[in-house]
Amino acid sequence: IFNIQAPRCKLAQSIDKTFLHKSASNRRTMSTSVEYLCVHVFVTCKEGTEDAFLEASLANARESSKEEGISRFDVIQQNDDPTKFVLVEVYKNGDAPAKHKETAHYLKWRETVADMMAVPRSAIKYKNHFPAVSGGWDYPEGASLE
């Protein structure tokens, strides 16, 4: 029995190769063990600035989530005290936090929220153990986050 297929145009062949390469690459990346730097930034903003702080932080997070060295950038707010926030920043390597702090969106955020702080923000650094693979942390390519 012969398997005869019609020749495909060059565009279709190119698309096939790209898809197969990306699929294999994504499977490999998604299942590869990673050691990410997880930083929890604790913020208490002044009462009455919660909405402005949240707006500035979401703008920063939207841009930060696009950075090559960032796996996640979450903004969470405490239920019983809306002046308290935690920024959950997950970096793919040790150089990524310094690069993040050089970006225009971070510098704008830092300047915007400086007078909103009730106390200086603090941070604790963690090493991830679970999920142990990038697929458990990274935003899917092209995903809508809102």
Side-chain angles (χ1 to χ4, degrees), residues 119-134:
V119 295
R121 64 186 183 275
S122 63
I124 300 175
K125 296 177 181 177
Y126 300 90
K127 179 177 113 176
N128 72 294
H129 289 285
F130 185 88
V133 296
S134 60

Side-chain angles (χ1 to χ4, degrees), residues 4-6 9 26-27 29 33 36 53 57 59 72 74 84-85 91 97 102-103 110 117 126 137 143:
I4 300 173
Q5 294 181 340
C9 71
N26 285 344
R27 278 194 305 274
T29 301
S33 181
Y36 284 166
F53 178 82
S57 297
R72 295 194 64 83
D74 301 346
K84 295 186 185 267
F85 292 83
Y91 295 97
E102 295 172 355
T103 63
R110 189 179 69 185
M117 301 290 165
Y126 300 90
W137 292 99

